[in-house]
Amino acid sequence: MIETISGFPIGIVPLGDIVFSFSEFSVIGFITAVVFTTIVYLTNPEKQLEAQKFKVEDKLEVVTLNELKIRRMMAIVCGIATAGAMLTYDLFDYALFLSLVGIANIGIVSAVKREWVLNAAYQYGLIAIISTLPLFGSAGMVLAKTGTLSLFELSKIQTSLLFEKIIFAAGMAGETGIAPFYAAKAEMFRAPGSPYILMIHLSSLLLIVRTVEILLTI
């Protein structure tokens, strides 16, 4: 089943409880995350001109060095966590990577010092905190029901995990899947330093595809 979904397995790197597996699917996702993370590291935020109400002149918006460091750091953390999530084959470790991506996404959104952006970051933070319960709760139920969290072992077990899969998918959606919607709600595309929010969309897309692959495998 793993070969049909993830492609041909290349190798396994066991690091205690953390097991990284390299397959055609995971390597492509890992390389994509690393490439975009490198681009984010090398990219400077754009400078924007904003029209002023009842004024003729425009206002130049420049991101300060302190804000630049925070946004870039959070975007890099998001990329590293996404790359790790593409390789791990332990369900609990994958949930940890999802939580780390969610925390980094909150940091990327909240780094913009605009009232409407901070409101969106607060609302997204509440959803992400609530989503940790079904995310880790489903992993705990899988462990209690099967005795393992290894995706290699779960693919061999014939036990029905439909309820646990539904809860895990809901937790993933709240943790990372809805992040682009809050970024769009906050109109971050027109906020200073907006290129860094591309990591939110990339991580959300890769993790949704990865979650579908995991749920189909187990």
Side-chain angles (χ1 to χ4, degrees), residues 91-111:
L91 191 62
F92 183 78
D93 294 334
Y94 181 69
L96 288 177
F97 280 122
L98 285 179
S99 298
L100 182 57
V101 171
I103 294 172
N105 287 341
I106 295 174
I108 295 174
V109 176
S110 61

Side-chain angles (χ1 to χ4, degrees), residues 3-177:
E3 293 185 9
T4 58
I5 296 178
S6 302
F8 184 77
I10 300 174
I12 299 176
V13 180
L15 300 174
D17 294 334
I18 302 176
V19 178
F20 293 106
S21 177
F22 295 88
S23 63
E24 295 175 346
F25 172 80
S26 62
V27 169
I28 292 174
F30 176 80
I31 293 176
T32 302
V34 170
V35 168
F36 276 86
T37 303
T38 305
I39 293 175
V40 166
Y41 175 75
L42 299 175
T43 301
N44 292 322
E46 60 185 14
K47 298 179 180 179
Q48 298 178 345
L49 286 175
E50 290 189 358
Q52 301 297 302
K53 190 175 182 180
F54 304 119
K55 294 182 180 180
V56 179
E57 67 274 7
D58 295 330
K59 181 180 179 182
L60 178 63
E61 294 289 348
V62 181
V63 179
T64 63
L65 182 60
N66 291 331
E67 293 183 19
L68 169 64
K69 291 180 179 179
I70 295 175
R71 298 178 194 178
R72 179 178 289 176
M73 180 189 70
M74 287 298 178
I76 293 174
V77 171
C78 179
I80 294 175
T82 303
M86 299 306 296
L87 296 179
T88 183
Y89 265 73
D90 183 90
L91 191 62
F92 183 78
D93 294 334
Y94 181 69
L96 288 177
F97 280 122
L98 285 179
S99 298
L100 182 57
V101 171
I103 294 172
N105 287 341
I106 295 174
I108 295 174
V109 176
S110 61
V112 180
K113 295 183 178 180
R114 298 290 185 275
E115 181 179 357
W116 69 90
V117 178
L118 294 177
N119 287 334
Y122 175 74
Q123 296 171 5
Y124 171 55
L126 291 179
I127 298 297
I129 292 173
I130 295 173
S131 299
T132 56
L133 177 60
L135 185 66
F136 288 95
S138 60
M141 287 188 290
V142 169
L143 178 61
K145 200 169 186 178
T146 62
T148 182
L149 288 172
S150 173
L151 299 181
F152 295 108
E153 299 299 327
L154 290 174
S155 62
K156 304 174 185 178
I157 298 175
Q158 301 301 322
T159 306
S160 176
L161 299 173
L162 179 60
F163 180 69
E164 289 79 4
K165 290 180 181 180
I166 294 175
I167 297 179
F168 190 85
M172 182 279 304
E175 195 72 46
T176 61

